[in-house]
Amino acid sequence: MKPDADFVSWFRSVAPYINAFRGKTFVVAFGGEVVADGKFVELVHDLNLLASLGVRLVLVHGARPQIEARLNERQLQTAYVRGMRVTDAATLQCVKESIGRVRVEIEALLSMGLPNSPMANADIRVASGNFVTARPVGVIEGIDLMHTGEVRKVDIAAIRSRLEQGEVALLSPLGYSPTGEIFNLTLENVAAEAAIALKAEKLIFLMDTAGVEKEYGSGAEPPLLRELTVAESKALLTNLANKNTQLSDDAQLYLPFAVSACEGGVSRVHLISRHVDGAMLQELFTHSGIGSMISKGPLQNLREAGIEDVGGILQLIEPLEIDGTLVRRNRELLEMEIDRFVVVEHDGMIVGCAALYPFPDDKAGELACLTVHSDYRSTGCGDALLKNIETKLRLQGGKKLFVLTTRTAHWFVERGFIETGVAELPKAKQGLYNYQRRSKVFVKEI
Ligand SMILES: CC(C)(COP(=O)(O)OP(=O)(O)OC[C@H]1O[C@@H](n2cnc3c(N)ncnc32)[C@H](O)[C@@H]1OP(=O)(O)O)[C@@H](O)C(=O)NCCC(=O)NCCS
């Protein structure tokens, strides 16, 4: 493919995501390390892009390294209980100073508008404020955690009104109590609670590892678990507690929050690396993603197609029409024949389709347009579509399933189809047979 064609096809492949994301709320959470490492500029470019595509952004930042540095400067030691810092008055002072400084740096970078940079013409207004009400964690194991708190309420009305004005909301890991106290919170607690309260479409955690890795620590590059349901995530955490598996520190930290966010109604939680430039774009705008995605239930389902699927089907089959594997179908024809199609939907995208054209007089049907997106092949998707079409035909009283193919003969032979001739096709189909295309005809008794 020529570079121009690559660009056009890439740009088109992104269109469904752009349409799906417009007006949706994404909560993006990142630790203070992202700001400390100087990586935030790259992230700002990607956030700017999302904002300009109409995504409503809520950013949640952390400040752990900055707080540690401040405590060291002051030579203050803090105790931890169950992984939570005990925040006394002196520590709280360091927390406030560090978070204030990080917040100002983030606001400054989000205000960039340099010409010839991805920020040219960007007009991001940042809204930060007292959006989070907190309560004290209290006494644990006999130790008072003092100013360490947890989220009590998120002021969603205030955040929503800022988002509706086109502003980006910025939340810090600090909360205020009705008694006027300040509490030190964790970014993951703030992010998960904000995402739940706002009914966010996505909660994205940027972390040190690539995502949730299977058997972390057992090999040089442990395989990444690309998709996990809540049940699978819980099983993993149980195995971790029973020492039957290992997870990276970050996966151990974020996975429980991912689970509670999904259970609280957030559609998808993404755990991705903060070290890869553009990781968020790859995760959001490509089929395969780059990190781990957690959702409440399985993401894939096979169903009857509806008129709203026409665009997705056209996009799926277009490359195969261009290379001649499939016969061309225009939009009008597809719209008229959409009732004949079944589709496999994965996370809102059409990744597979097939159609059944019945010939009731011959007690037969034709399987057509069987396609699975290249990223989803060899996972049984093709088989599932074929089985669905066979069942449909059987329910209609059909006995023979025909298929015309130029390049996929073996796939059908391995699934019980036998080569036959054009003369065996239903009469109505024989008249439509394209002798130039010279497709082979296969049939399966069902
Ligand atoms: C044919 C197709 C639908 C199969 O989808 P799928 O989801 O990968 O199917 P399954 O997972 O059920 O089966 C995958 C197996 O089929 C094999 N296979 C895929 N294409 C094949 C072909 N053209 N010939 C023979 N075997 C093939 C794979 O190698 C894999 O076998 P393996 O598991 O032993 O490696 C998919 O490859 C596709 O969309 N191809 C392009 C469109 C096409 O040719 N459609 C048929 C038009 S008539």
Side-chain angles (χ1 to χ4, degrees):
M1 218 188 302
K2 287 200 286 284
D4 284 358
D6 276 347
F7 171 77
V8 172
S9 122
W10 166 81
F11 207 40
R12 283 182 182 153
S13 74
V14 169
Y17 296 98
I18 297 177
N19 289 324
F21 295 163
R22 191 178 303 116
K24 298 281 167 30
T25 302
F26 291 7
V27 176
V28 182
F30 49 90
E33 296 82 359
V34 176
V35 184
D37 288 0
K39 288 271 171 66
F40 193 61
V41 179
E42 291 161 3
L43 182 60
V44 163
H45 293 162
D46 297 348
L47 293 170
N48 170 40
L49 186 74
L50 288 177
S52 63
L53 294 175
V55 173
R56 295 171 169 208
L57 285 177
V58 177
L59 310 182
V60 183
H61 76 87
R64 280 189 190 115
Q66 291 84 352
I67 294 171
E68 286 303 330
R70 198 87 189 125
L71 288 168
N72 284 340
E73 268 169 38
R74 299 244 175 118
Q75 294 178 339
L76 291 170
Q77 305 272 329
T78 50
Y80 284 85
V81 182
R82 289 198 204 152
M84 282 181 284
R85 192 196 297 277
V86 178
T87 314
D88 58 16
T91 305
L92 182 65
Q93 192 54 33
C94 294
V95 168
K96 287 193 290 186
E97 287 166 9
S98 310
I99 289 178
R101 205 179 288 171
V102 172
R103 178 142 84 188
V104 171
E105 273 181 53
I106 294 171
E107 287 177 353
L109 287 169
L110 285 167
S111 309
M112 281 190 307
L114 289 178
N116 299 325
S117 84
M119 295 302 285
N121 301 321
D123 182 20
I124 297 184
R125 267 165 303 136
V126 188
S128 41
N130 57 343
F131 297 127
V132 178
T133 306
R135 63 171 161 239
V137 167
V139 179
I140 295 179
E141 294 173 8
I143 298 168
D144 186 355
L145 275 83
M146 290 185 263
H147 298 283
T148 299
E150 58 194 11
V151 175
R152 179 171 160 187
K153 207 174 79 196
V154 180
D155 188 348
I156 45 169
I159 297 178
R160 280 212 184 113
S161 85
R162 310 308 284 266
L163 296 176
E164 270 156 28
Q165 301 293 318
E167 297 177 18
V168 168
L170 177 62
L171 306 184
S172 298
L174 277 183
Y176 309 95
S177 77
T179 54
E181 278 178 275
I182 301 172
F183 287 99
N184 177 21
L185 310 175
T186 64
L187 88 101
E188 42 286 358
N189 180 215
V190 174
E193 291 302 325
I196 292 169
L198 289 162
K199 298 191 169 43
E201 184 72 14
K202 289 182 185 294
L203 165 61
I204 302 162
F205 283 114
L206 295 173
M207 53 194 256
D208 266 323
T209 45
V212 182
E213 289 147 326
K214 201 175 172 193
E215 300 303 332
Y216 178 80
S218 60
E221 242 185 73
L224 195 60
L225 296 167
R226 294 258 176 222
E227 285 169 11
L228 286 135
T229 60
V230 162
E232 287 162 348
S233 305
K234 281 182 167 172
L236 212 53
L237 291 167
T238 308
N239 284 341
L240 178 75
N242 297 337
K243 303 209 181 324
N244 290 331
T245 192
Q246 291 186 59
L247 291 175
S248 69
D249 288 349
D250 268 16
Q252 291 186 39
L253 175 66
Y254 292 119
L255 201 53
F257 287 94
V259 167
S260 69
C262 285
E263 288 184 327
V266 178
S267 307
R268 310 272 180 266
V269 180
H270 300 259
L271 305 185
I272 57 174
S273 169
R274 69 180 180 88
H275 298 288
V276 179
D277 184 14
M280 197 163 56
L281 300 184
Q282 278 194 62
E283 177 72 5
L284 296 175
F285 293 98
T286 61
H287 269 291
S288 45
I290 190 174
S292 299
M293 178 160 79
I294 296 100
S295 61
K296 198 159 182 196
L299 294 172
Q300 198 149 300
N301 75 338
L302 197 160
R303 58 168 174 79
E304 299 291 314
I307 197 76
E308 67 287 353
D309 298 316
V310 168
I313 296 176
L314 280 171
Q315 198 148 27
L316 176 70
I317 63 180
E318 193 183 30
L320 293 157
E321 290 178 345
I322 292 170
D323 80 4
T325 307
L326 296 178
V327 182
R328 277 194 187 274
R329 274 180 178 74
N330 60 32
R331 181 177 279 271
E332 289 71 31
L333 184 65
L334 195 56
E335 278 173 4
M336 280 188 318
E337 297 182 343
I338 194 69
D339 293 349
R340 296 181 172 166
F341 278 75
V342 286
V343 289
V344 176
E345 187 183 337
H346 184 101
D347 197 19
M349 298 286 155
I350 303 300
V351 300
C353 70
L356 173 65
Y357 289 80
F359 295 94
D361 293 346
D362 303 78
K363 289 199 173 3
E366 183 197 352
L367 164 67
C369 212
L370 174 70
T371 312
V372 174
H373 187 284
S374 52
D375 287 351
Y376 294 85
R377 289 190 190 153
S378 292
T379 59
C381 213
D383 259 333
L385 283 162
L386 173 62
K387 276 204 188 86
N388 180 285
I389 295 288
E390 286 178 4
T391 308
K392 266 174 103 172
L393 182 60
R394 213 173 285 128
L395 290 173
Q396 292 171 10
K399 303 263 184 251
K400 286 178 179 182
L401 182 62
F402 287 93
V403 66
L404 274 66
T405 182
T406 50
R407 306 199 183 165
T408 321
H410 280 205
W411 192 86
F412 290 107
V413 169
E414 284 167 23
R415 280 149 187 85
F417 283 79
I418 295 165
E419 189 167 358
T420 180
V422 179
E424 299 304 315
L425 283 169
K427 284 274 175 299
K429 179 69 195 173
Q430 282 180 32
L432 298 171
Y433 182 81
N434 181 340
Y435 283 90
Q436 275 181 337
R437 204 171 145 74
R438 294 191 51 208
S439 305
K440 290 185 175 176
V441 181
F442 287 84
V443 66
K444 182 174 179 181
E445 306 279 342
I446 58 165

